[in-house]
Amino acid sequence: MQFIVQQILNALQLGSVYALIALGYTMVYGILRMINFAHGDIFMVSTYIGFFSASFLLGRLLHLPGVIIFVLTLLVAMLGTAFLAVFIERVAYKPLRQAPRISAVITALGIGLVLENTTLATIGPEPRILPQVIPVVNFSIGGVAISTIQIVILIISAIVMFILDTIVRKTMTGMAMRAISFDKTVVPLMGVPVDRIISITFALGSSMAAVGGILYGIAYMIDPYMGIRIGWWAFISAVVGGIGNIRGAMVGGYILGFVEIFVAAFLPSTYRDFVAFALLLILLVFKPTGILGMPVVQQKV
């Protein structure tokens, strides 16, 4: 029993990261009907922004508490990736809004390669460890081990996802996002600044990826290739939960976290990707819109 509880805890930790990254996929798809395949590499870039920010702050003679450095690192990573995502949207995606969707998809794949290879060329391929800004203390509760890192990941993930859900559901900006996702041709006639709302959507989605990146970085190794694998798992999470649905992305992230941890716990780890993609295929056969996704109805003119 203790083993099962331990795996549930590990799954919640990993699922929180997947859910945060999946939010970026689902928000961009919800508003533009576009899969931003560069999102995984934006997540990767956020971890390096966090790495250098934390290293810089620890290298200064400021003697700041680790918690303050962690918060500053998180904020810098969120701002840095938000600016990067908005820049990419304005330069690469905005000119293609009226082009066939395949053009935007190819562009997103190209941007992902540019980010990945730029990181490889400038920083190098060797894995790195985010500076330890949070003291690691292990507790044992009923034989189940839990560390301060896991507690931080679970609490911050829950807070950030609650804030994003509130923004989307209860603010004017969130209302504008939902209106654009419903019909972006009519919404401008009502005075909604579509370009600004799309930029805010990219900024918010990338900020969520940055939070996931920093939380991933304090628990695991980071490297320039992490955007591919983690990005794909987050994308699967968004599809499983119902891409375009905020809460669906959260649910999908935790489902994929449980799949990965429990497959690795009871089966050879090489089965992990097989089970994940099999789950995706089975789900798409019986519920193409995902668990919480709704079918998009297109009216014939």
Side-chain angles (χ1 to χ4, degrees):
M1 186 62 187
Q2 293 171 348
F3 178 75
I4 297 295
V5 175
Q6 185 69 62
Q7 300 311 315
I8 291 174
L9 188 61
N10 295 337
L12 289 173
Q13 173 188 340
L14 189 60
S16 298
V17 176
Y18 287 151
L20 288 169
I21 306 168
L23 287 170
Y25 281 107
T26 208
M27 290 179 73
V28 170
Y29 180 83
I31 202 167
L32 289 178
R33 292 291 183 265
M34 165 197 158
I35 305 296
N36 182 16
F37 284 113
H39 189 64
D41 289 295
I42 291 174
F43 153 76
M44 177 271 295
V45 171
S46 75
T47 63
Y48 279 97
I49 294 176
F51 173 82
F52 288 111
S53 300
S55 301
F56 175 80
L57 291 170
L58 287 172
R60 301 291 95 182
L61 300 177
L62 300 177
H63 303 296
L64 293 173
V67 175
I68 301 296
I69 292 178
F70 175 73
V71 172
L72 291 175
T73 300
L74 197 60
L75 293 176
V76 170
M78 291 174 71
L79 286 173
T81 49
F83 278 116
L84 175 64
V86 171
F87 175 76
I88 291 172
E89 189 274 326
R90 287 300 175 98
V91 172
Y93 298 152
K94 185 179 177 182
L96 298 175
R97 282 184 200 165
Q98 305 305 322
R101 290 179 185 174
I102 188 66
S103 302
V105 171
I106 293 172
T107 302
L109 290 170
I111 290 171
L113 288 173
V114 168
L115 293 175
E116 181 183 316
N117 286 285
T118 301
T119 306
L120 276 170
T122 55
I123 300 175
E126 64 276 3
R128 295 170 186 264
I129 301 175
L130 211 67
Q132 185 177 329
V133 292
I134 297 178
V136 180
V137 180
N138 295 308
F139 305 98
S140 180
I141 304 174
V144 177
I146 181 170
S147 67
T148 50
I149 298 294
Q150 289 176 311
I151 294 172
V152 167
I153 290 175
L154 295 178
I155 292 177
I156 291 183
S157 301
I159 292 174
V160 170
M161 285 189 278
F162 174 76
I163 292 173
L164 179 67
D165 188 70
T166 303
I167 290 173
V168 172
R169 293 183 178 277
K170 297 186 177 180
T171 66
M172 292 299 291
T173 300
M175 186 183 298
M177 289 178 184
R178 287 183 281 126
I180 293 173
S181 69
F182 184 75
D183 191 337
K184 64 175 177 291
T185 58
V186 175
V187 166
L189 302 177
M190 301 176 183
V192 176
V194 175
D195 288 341
R196 189 193 309 166
I197 296 300
I198 290 175
S199 295
I200 292 173
T201 303
F202 271 84
L204 280 175
S206 300
S207 298
M208 295 299 105
V211 175
I214 300 303
L215 296 182
Y216 184 89
I218 62 175
Y220 307 99
M221 303 280 282
I222 65 173
D223 64 78
Y225 299 106
M226 61 189 290
I228 301 173
R229 183 181 170 280
I230 303 297
W232 272 110
W233 277 76
F235 172 64
I236 296 173
S237 302
V239 175
V240 167
I243 193 162
N245 186 298
I246 297 290
R247 293 182 178 178
M250 300 176 192
V251 172
Y254 284 108
I255 289 176
L256 265 291
F258 272 80
V259 169
E260 179 168 345
I261 293 297
F262 276 87
V263 168
F266 293 101
L267 297 172
S269 59
T270 51
Y271 285 21
R272 191 174 50 195
D273 291 349
F274 165 75
V275 174
F277 281 96
L279 173 68
L280 175 64
L281 289 174
I282 293 171
L283 181 72
L284 290 179
V285 168
F286 293 100
K287 199 170 189 315
T289 57
I291 295 173
L292 298 182
M294 298 295 290
V296 177
V297 178
Q298 294 184 341
Q299 295 181 344
K300 294 183 179 179
V301 179

PDB file of all heavy atoms in Angstrom, residues 8-38:
ATOM      1  N   ILE A   8       1.499   7.317  -6.386  1.00  0.00           N
ATOM      2  CA  ILE A   8       0.468   8.349  -6.604  1.00  0.00           C
ATOM      3  C   ILE A   8       1.064   9.735  -6.377  1.00  0.00           C
ATOM      4  O   ILE A   8       0.829  10.673  -7.149  1.00  0.00           O
ATOM      5  CB  ILE A   8      -0.735   8.110  -5.672  1.00  0.00           C
ATOM      6  CG1 ILE A   8      -1.487   6.845  -6.104  1.00  0.00           C
ATOM      7  CG2 ILE A   8      -1.675   9.316  -5.682  1.00  0.00           C
ATOM      8  CD1 ILE A   8      -2.606   6.441  -5.159  1.00  0.00           C
ATOM      9  N   LEU A   9       1.861   9.855  -5.322  1.00  0.00           N
ATOM     10  CA  LEU A   9       2.509  11.134  -5.036  1.00  0.00           C
ATOM     11  C   LEU A   9       3.456  11.543  -6.161  1.00  0.00           C
ATOM     12  O   LEU A   9       3.456  12.698  -6.606  1.00  0.00           O
ATOM     13  CB  LEU A   9       3.265  11.024  -3.713  1.00  0.00           C
ATOM     14  CG  LEU A   9       3.864  12.298  -3.137  1.00  0.00           C
ATOM     15  CD1 LEU A   9       2.770  13.308  -2.852  1.00  0.00           C
ATOM     16  CD2 LEU A   9       4.644  11.990  -1.870  1.00  0.00           C
ATOM     17  N   ASN A  10       4.243  10.576  -6.649  1.00  0.00           N
ATOM     18  CA  ASN A  10       5.157  10.864  -7.757  1.00  0.00           C
ATOM     19  C   ASN A  10       4.385  11.244  -9.018  1.00  0.00           C
ATOM     20  O   ASN A  10       4.807  12.111  -9.784  1.00  0.00           O
ATOM     21  CB  ASN A  10       6.037   9.641  -8.035  1.00  0.00           C
ATOM     22  CG  ASN A  10       6.960   9.313  -6.881  1.00  0.00           C
ATOM     23  OD1 ASN A  10       7.268  10.177  -6.061  1.00  0.00           O
ATOM     24  ND2 ASN A  10       7.381   8.066  -6.781  1.00  0.00           N
ATOM     25  N   ALA A  11       3.247  10.557  -9.242  1.00  0.00           N
ATOM     26  CA  ALA A  11       2.433  10.853 -10.423  1.00  0.00           C
ATOM     27  C   ALA A  11       1.832  12.255 -10.344  1.00  0.00           C
ATOM     28  O   ALA A  11       1.759  12.968 -11.353  1.00  0.00           O
ATOM     29  CB  ALA A  11       1.331   9.811 -10.553  1.00  0.00           C
ATOM     30  N   LEU A  12       1.406  12.663  -9.159  1.00  0.00           N
ATOM     31  CA  LEU A  12       0.872  14.016  -8.988  1.00  0.00           C
ATOM     32  C   LEU A  12       1.952  15.064  -9.264  1.00  0.00           C
ATOM     33  O   LEU A  12       1.690  16.107  -9.869  1.00  0.00           O
ATOM     34  CB  LEU A  12       0.314  14.193  -7.572  1.00  0.00           C
ATOM     35  CG  LEU A  12      -0.979  13.436  -7.268  1.00  0.00           C
ATOM     36  CD1 LEU A  12      -1.322  13.560  -5.781  1.00  0.00           C
ATOM     37  CD2 LEU A  12      -2.133  13.979  -8.111  1.00  0.00           C
ATOM     38  N   GLN A  13       3.177  14.765  -8.831  1.00  0.00           N
ATOM     39  CA  GLN A  13       4.295  15.683  -9.074  1.00  0.00           C
ATOM     40  C   GLN A  13       4.551  15.844 -10.562  1.00  0.00           C
ATOM     41  O   GLN A  13       4.604  16.966 -11.078  1.00  0.00           O
ATOM     42  CB  GLN A  13       5.544  15.146  -8.384  1.00  0.00           C
ATOM     43  CG  GLN A  13       6.801  15.932  -8.713  1.00  0.00           C
ATOM     44  CD  GLN A  13       8.062  15.270  -8.167  1.00  0.00           C
ATOM     45  OE1 GLN A  13       7.993  14.452  -7.265  1.00  0.00           O
ATOM     46  NE2 GLN A  13       9.196  15.609  -8.728  1.00  0.00           N
ATOM     47  N   LEU A  14       4.672  14.736 -11.294  1.00  0.00           N
ATOM     48  CA  LEU A  14       4.952  14.812 -12.728  1.00  0.00           C
ATOM     49  C   LEU A  14       3.736  15.330 -13.500  1.00  0.00           C
ATOM     50  O   LEU A  14       3.865  16.119 -14.444  1.00  0.00           O
ATOM     51  CB  LEU A  14       5.351  13.426 -13.246  1.00  0.00           C
ATOM     52  CG  LEU A  14       5.871  13.370 -14.677  1.00  0.00           C
ATOM     53  CD1 LEU A  14       7.119  14.236 -14.836  1.00  0.00           C
ATOM     54  CD2 LEU A  14       6.192  11.928 -15.073  1.00  0.00           C
ATOM     55  N   GLY A  15       2.552  14.886 -13.090  1.00  0.00           N
ATOM     56  CA  GLY A  15       1.336  15.336 -13.761  1.00  0.00           C
ATOM     57  C   GLY A  15       1.126  16.837 -13.643  1.00  0.00           C
ATOM     58  O   GLY A  15       0.600  17.468 -14.564  1.00  0.00           O
ATOM     59  N   SER A  16       1.558  17.430 -12.542  1.00  0.00           N
ATOM     60  CA  SER A  16       1.435  18.887 -12.377  1.00  0.00           C
ATOM     61  C   SER A  16       2.244  19.613 -13.437  1.00  0.00           C
ATOM     62  O   SER A  16       1.786  20.610 -14.017  1.00  0.00           O
ATOM     63  CB  SER A  16       1.922  19.288 -10.982  1.00  0.00           C
ATOM     64  OG  SER A  16       1.141  18.692  -9.976  1.00  0.00           O
ATOM     65  N   VAL A  17       3.444  19.115 -13.719  1.00  0.00           N
ATOM     66  CA  VAL A  17       4.288  19.741 -14.745  1.00  0.00           C
ATOM     67  C   VAL A  17       3.651  19.588 -16.121  1.00  0.00           C
ATOM     68  O   VAL A  17       3.554  20.547 -16.891  1.00  0.00           O
ATOM     69  CB  VAL A  17       5.699  19.110 -14.737  1.00  0.00           C
ATOM     70  CG1 VAL A  17       6.541  19.679 -15.867  1.00  0.00           C
ATOM     71  CG2 VAL A  17       6.375  19.348 -13.398  1.00  0.00           C
ATOM     72  N   TYR A  18       3.187  18.367 -16.441  1.00  0.00           N
ATOM     73  CA  TYR A  18       2.535  18.159 -17.736  1.00  0.00           C
ATOM     74  C   TYR A  18       1.304  19.058 -17.889  1.00  0.00           C
ATOM     75  O   TYR A  18       1.050  19.606 -18.959  1.00  0.00           O
ATOM     76  CB  TYR A  18       2.119  16.692 -17.881  1.00  0.00           C
ATOM     77  CG  TYR A  18       3.258  15.743 -18.121  1.00  0.00           C
ATOM     78  CD1 TYR A  18       3.191  14.420 -17.701  1.00  0.00           C
ATOM     79  CD2 TYR A  18       4.413  16.148 -18.769  1.00  0.00           C
ATOM     80  CE1 TYR A  18       4.237  13.536 -17.913  1.00  0.00           C
ATOM     81  CE2 TYR A  18       5.467  15.271 -18.979  1.00  0.00           C
ATOM     82  CZ  TYR A  18       5.370  13.969 -18.550  1.00  0.00           C
ATOM     83  OH  TYR A  18       6.407  13.104 -18.763  1.00  0.00           O
ATOM     84  N   ALA A  19       0.537  19.174 -16.823  1.00  0.00           N
ATOM     85  CA  ALA A  19      -0.683  19.991 -16.894  1.00  0.00           C
ATOM     86  C   ALA A  19      -0.348  21.457 -17.175  1.00  0.00           C
ATOM     87  O   ALA A  19      -1.013  22.098 -17.992  1.00  0.00           O
ATOM     88  CB  ALA A  19      -1.457  19.862 -15.583  1.00  0.00           C
ATOM     89  N   LEU A  20       0.687  21.964 -16.519  1.00  0.00           N
ATOM     90  CA  LEU A  20       1.063  23.364 -16.732  1.00  0.00           C
ATOM     91  C   LEU A  20       1.506  23.603 -18.175  1.00  0.00           C
ATOM     92  O   LEU A  20       1.161  24.628 -18.781  1.00  0.00           O
ATOM     93  CB  LEU A  20       2.189  23.751 -15.767  1.00  0.00           C
ATOM     94  CG  LEU A  20       1.785  23.896 -14.292  1.00  0.00           C
ATOM     95  CD1 LEU A  20       3.015  24.003 -13.407  1.00  0.00           C
ATOM     96  CD2 LEU A  20       0.894  25.127 -14.113  1.00  0.00           C
ATOM     97  N   ILE A  21       2.254  22.670 -18.734  1.00  0.00           N
ATOM     98  CA  ILE A  21       2.715  22.848 -20.122  1.00  0.00           C
ATOM     99  C   ILE A  21       1.551  22.656 -21.089  1.00  0.00           C
ATOM    100  O   ILE A  21       1.425  23.378 -22.089  1.00  0.00           O
ATOM    101  CB  ILE A  21       3.850  21.858 -20.444  1.00  0.00           C
ATOM    102  CG1 ILE A  21       4.970  21.986 -19.430  1.00  0.00           C
ATOM    103  CG2 ILE A  21       4.406  22.117 -21.834  1.00  0.00           C
ATOM    104  CD1 ILE A  21       5.986  20.867 -19.501  1.00  0.00           C
ATOM    105  N   ALA A  22       0.680  21.692 -20.791  1.00  0.00           N
ATOM    106  CA  ALA A  22      -0.461  21.428 -21.670  1.00  0.00           C
ATOM    107  C   ALA A  22      -1.382  22.645 -21.772  1.00  0.00           C
ATOM    108  O   ALA A  22      -2.059  22.831 -22.794  1.00  0.00           O
ATOM    109  CB  ALA A  22      -1.238  20.222 -21.144  1.00  0.00           C
ATOM    110  N   LEU A  23      -1.405  23.475 -20.744  1.00  0.00           N
ATOM    111  CA  LEU A  23      -2.260  24.667 -20.781  1.00  0.00           C
ATOM    112  C   LEU A  23      -1.880  25.577 -21.945  1.00  0.00           C
ATOM    113  O   LEU A  23      -2.749  26.185 -22.579  1.00  0.00           O
ATOM    114  CB  LEU A  23      -2.146  25.424 -19.455  1.00  0.00           C
ATOM    115  CG  LEU A  23      -2.838  24.762 -18.265  1.00  0.00           C
ATOM    116  CD1 LEU A  23      -2.452  25.464 -16.974  1.00  0.00           C
ATOM    117  CD2 LEU A  23      -4.345  24.786 -18.462  1.00  0.00           C
ATOM    118  N   GLY A  24      -0.591  25.691 -22.243  1.00  0.00           N
ATOM    119  CA  GLY A  24      -0.158  26.533 -23.356  1.00  0.00           C
ATOM    120  C   GLY A  24      -0.650  26.012 -24.691  1.00  0.00           C
ATOM    121  O   GLY A  24      -1.098  26.773 -25.548  1.00  0.00           O
ATOM    122  N   TYR A  25      -0.563  24.675 -24.857  1.00  0.00           N
ATOM    123  CA  TYR A  25      -1.069  24.079 -26.099  1.00  0.00           C
ATOM    124  C   TYR A  25      -2.561  24.351 -26.262  1.00  0.00           C
ATOM    125  O   TYR A  25      -3.043  24.743 -27.322  1.00  0.00           O
ATOM    126  CB  TYR A  25      -0.852  22.562 -26.080  1.00  0.00           C
ATOM    127  CG  TYR A  25       0.546  22.115 -26.399  1.00  0.00           C
ATOM    128  CD1 TYR A  25       1.382  21.624 -25.413  1.00  0.00           C
ATOM    129  CD2 TYR A  25       1.035  22.153 -27.699  1.00  0.00           C
ATOM    130  CE1 TYR A  25       2.670  21.191 -25.699  1.00  0.00           C
ATOM    131  CE2 TYR A  25       2.320  21.725 -27.999  1.00  0.00           C
ATOM    132  CZ  TYR A  25       3.128  21.247 -26.993  1.00  0.00           C
ATOM    133  OH  TYR A  25       4.396  20.822 -27.288  1.00  0.00           O
ATOM    134  N   THR A  26      -3.298  24.114 -25.184  1.00  0.00           N
ATOM    135  CA  THR A  26      -4.749  24.181 -25.287  1.00  0.00           C
ATOM    136  C   THR A  26      -5.240  25.623 -25.432  1.00  0.00           C
ATOM    137  O   THR A  26      -6.231  25.880 -26.115  1.00  0.00           O
ATOM    138  CB  THR A  26      -5.392  23.480 -24.066  1.00  0.00           C
ATOM    139  OG1 THR A  26      -6.666  22.979 -24.441  1.00  0.00           O
ATOM    140  CG2 THR A  26      -5.528  24.384 -22.872  1.00  0.00           C
ATOM    141  N   MET A  27      -4.560  26.584 -24.818  1.00  0.00           N
ATOM    142  CA  MET A  27      -4.994  27.981 -24.930  1.00  0.00           C
ATOM    143  C   MET A  27      -4.791  28.492 -26.348  1.00  0.00           C
ATOM    144  O   MET A  27      -5.681  29.151 -26.905  1.00  0.00           O
ATOM    145  CB  MET A  27      -4.206  28.845 -23.936  1.00  0.00           C
ATOM    146  CG  MET A  27      -4.580  28.598 -22.488  1.00  0.00           C
ATOM    147  SD  MET A  27      -3.620  29.595 -21.341  1.00  0.00           S
ATOM    148  CE  MET A  27      -4.376  31.208 -21.625  1.00  0.00           C
ATOM    149  N   VAL A  28      -3.635  28.209 -26.940  1.00  0.00           N
ATOM    150  CA  VAL A  28      -3.378  28.675 -28.310  1.00  0.00           C
ATOM    151  C   VAL A  28      -4.318  27.982 -29.288  1.00  0.00           C
ATOM    152  O   VAL A  28      -4.879  28.617 -30.188  1.00  0.00           O
ATOM    153  CB  VAL A  28      -1.904  28.409 -28.700  1.00  0.00           C
ATOM    154  CG1 VAL A  28      -1.685  28.670 -30.186  1.00  0.00           C
ATOM    155  CG2 VAL A  28      -0.992  29.285 -27.861  1.00  0.00           C
ATOM    156  N   TYR A  29      -4.533  26.670 -29.086  1.00  0.00           N
ATOM    157  CA  TYR A  29      -5.451  25.976 -29.989  1.00  0.00           C
ATOM    158  C   TYR A  29      -6.878  26.512 -29.826  1.00  0.00           C
ATOM    159  O   TYR A  29      -7.604  26.681 -30.807  1.00  0.00           O
ATOM    160  CB  TYR A  29      -5.439  24.475 -29.704  1.00  0.00           C
ATOM    161  CG  TYR A  29      -6.372  23.715 -30.620  1.00  0.00           C
ATOM    162  CD1 TYR A  29      -5.966  23.340 -31.894  1.00  0.00           C
ATOM    163  CD2 TYR A  29      -7.673  23.403 -30.222  1.00  0.00           C
ATOM    164  CE1 TYR A  29      -6.826  22.675 -32.751  1.00  0.00           C
ATOM    165  CE2 TYR A  29      -8.545  22.729 -31.068  1.00  0.00           C
ATOM    166  CZ  TYR A  29      -8.109  22.373 -32.328  1.00  0.00           C
ATOM    167  OH  TYR A  29      -8.979  21.721 -33.169  1.00  0.00           O
ATOM    168  N   GLY A  30      -7.260  26.760 -28.592  1.00  0.00           N
ATOM    169  CA  GLY A  30      -8.619  27.230 -28.348  1.00  0.00           C
ATOM    170  C   GLY A  30      -8.928  28.545 -29.028  1.00  0.00           C
ATOM    171  O   GLY A  30     -10.050  28.777 -29.464  1.00  0.00           O
ATOM    172  N   ILE A  31      -7.922  29.404 -29.153  1.00  0.00           N
ATOM    173  CA  ILE A  31      -8.187  30.735 -29.696  1.00  0.00           C
ATOM    174  C   ILE A  31      -7.840  30.840 -31.179  1.00  0.00           C
ATOM    175  O   ILE A  31      -8.443  31.628 -31.911  1.00  0.00           O
ATOM    176  CB  ILE A  31      -7.416  31.793 -28.872  1.00  0.00           C
ATOM    177  CG1 ILE A  31      -8.074  33.160 -29.035  1.00  0.00           C
ATOM    178  CG2 ILE A  31      -5.962  31.854 -29.256  1.00  0.00           C
ATOM    179  CD1 ILE A  31      -7.579  34.170 -28.032  1.00  0.00           C
ATOM    180  N   LEU A  32      -6.873  30.066 -31.649  1.00  0.00           N
ATOM    181  CA  LEU A  32      -6.455  30.165 -33.052  1.00  0.00           C
ATOM    182  C   LEU A  32      -6.689  28.882 -33.845  1.00  0.00           C
ATOM    183  O   LEU A  32      -6.450  28.875 -35.052  1.00  0.00           O
ATOM    184  CB  LEU A  32      -4.960  30.529 -33.141  1.00  0.00           C
ATOM    185  CG  LEU A  32      -4.560  31.940 -32.736  1.00  0.00           C
ATOM    186  CD1 LEU A  32      -3.052  32.106 -32.851  1.00  0.00           C
ATOM    187  CD2 LEU A  32      -5.260  32.973 -33.612  1.00  0.00           C
ATOM    188  N   ARG A  33      -7.138  27.813 -33.163  1.00  0.00           N
ATOM    189  CA  ARG A  33      -7.261  26.499 -33.817  1.00  0.00           C
ATOM    190  C   ARG A  33      -5.938  26.086 -34.459  1.00  0.00           C
ATOM    191  O   ARG A  33      -5.897  25.616 -35.587  1.00  0.00           O
ATOM    192  CB  ARG A  33      -8.375  26.525 -34.861  1.00  0.00           C
ATOM    193  CG  ARG A  33      -9.742  26.671 -34.268  1.00  0.00           C
ATOM    194  CD  ARG A  33     -10.129  25.404 -33.491  1.00  0.00           C
ATOM    195  NE  ARG A  33     -11.495  25.492 -32.957  1.00  0.00           N
ATOM    196  CZ  ARG A  33     -11.794  25.891 -31.726  1.00  0.00           C
ATOM    197  NH1 ARG A  33     -10.826  26.236 -30.903  1.00  0.00           N
ATOM    198  NH2 ARG A  33     -13.026  25.926 -31.291  1.00  0.00           N
ATOM    199  N   MET A  34      -4.857  26.308 -33.742  1.00  0.00           N
ATOM    200  CA  MET A  34      -3.523  26.028 -34.249  1.00  0.00           C
ATOM    201  C   MET A  34      -2.721  25.276 -33.186  1.00  0.00           C
ATOM    202  O   MET A  34      -2.786  25.598 -31.999  1.00  0.00           O
ATOM    203  CB  MET A  34      -2.823  27.356 -34.578  1.00  0.00           C
ATOM    204  CG  MET A  34      -1.334  27.244 -34.784  1.00  0.00           C
ATOM    205  SD  MET A  34      -0.565  28.866 -34.672  1.00  0.00           S
ATOM    206  CE  MET A  34       1.111  28.370 -34.280  1.00  0.00           C
ATOM    207  N   ILE A  35      -1.982  24.237 -33.611  1.00  0.00           N
ATOM    208  CA  ILE A  35      -1.112  23.518 -32.689  1.00  0.00           C
ATOM    209  C   ILE A  35       0.256  24.192 -32.704  1.00  0.00           C
ATOM    210  O   ILE A  35       0.943  24.191 -33.717  1.00  0.00           O
ATOM    211  CB  ILE A  35      -0.945  22.043 -33.100  1.00  0.00           C
ATOM    212  CG1 ILE A  35      -2.309  21.357 -33.239  1.00  0.00           C
ATOM    213  CG2 ILE A  35      -0.088  21.311 -32.068  1.00  0.00           C
ATOM    214  CD1 ILE A  35      -3.090  21.278 -31.974  1.00  0.00           C
ATOM    215  N   ASN A  36       0.619  24.787 -31.578  1.00  0.00           N
ATOM    216  CA  ASN A  36       1.908  25.471 -31.479  1.00  0.00           C
ATOM    217  C   ASN A  36       2.985  24.464 -31.096  1.00  0.00           C
ATOM    218  O   ASN A  36       3.308  24.274 -29.923  1.00  0.00           O
ATOM    219  CB  ASN A  36       1.819  26.590 -30.434  1.00  0.00           C
ATOM    220  CG  ASN A  36       3.109  27.370 -30.332  1.00  0.00           C
ATOM    221  OD1 ASN A  36       3.968  27.289 -31.217  1.00  0.00           O
ATOM    222  ND2 ASN A  36       3.265  28.118 -29.260  1.00  0.00           N
ATOM    223  N   PHE A  37       3.551  23.790 -32.103  1.00  0.00           N
ATOM    224  CA  PHE A  37       4.532  22.756 -31.833  1.00  0.00           C
ATOM    225  C   PHE A  37       5.848  23.322 -31.281  1.00  0.00           C
ATOM    226  O   PHE A  37       6.725  22.553 -30.897  1.00  0.00           O
ATOM    227  CB  PHE A  37       4.805  21.937 -33.098  1.00  0.00           C
ATOM    228  CG  PHE A  37       3.707  20.957 -33.409  1.00  0.00           C
ATOM    229  CD1 PHE A  37       2.911  21.111 -34.535  1.00  0.00           C
ATOM    230  CD2 PHE A  37       3.465  19.883 -32.578  1.00  0.00           C
ATOM    231  CE1 PHE A  37       1.892  20.213 -34.820  1.00  0.00           C
ATOM    232  CE2 PHE A  37       2.443  18.975 -32.849  1.00  0.00           C
ATOM    233  CZ  PHE A  37       1.660  19.144 -33.981  1.00  0.00           C
ATOM    234  N   ALA A  38       6.014  24.623 -31.261  1.00  0.00           N
ATOM    235  CA  ALA A  38       7.209  25.221 -30.661  1.00  0.00           C
ATOM    236  C   ALA A  38       7.062  25.355 -29.144  1.00  0.00           C
ATOM    237  O   ALA A  38       8.023  25.731 -28.468  1.00  0.00           O
ATOM    238  CB  ALA A  38       7.473  26.588 -31.280  1.00  0.00           C
TER     239      ALA A  38
END
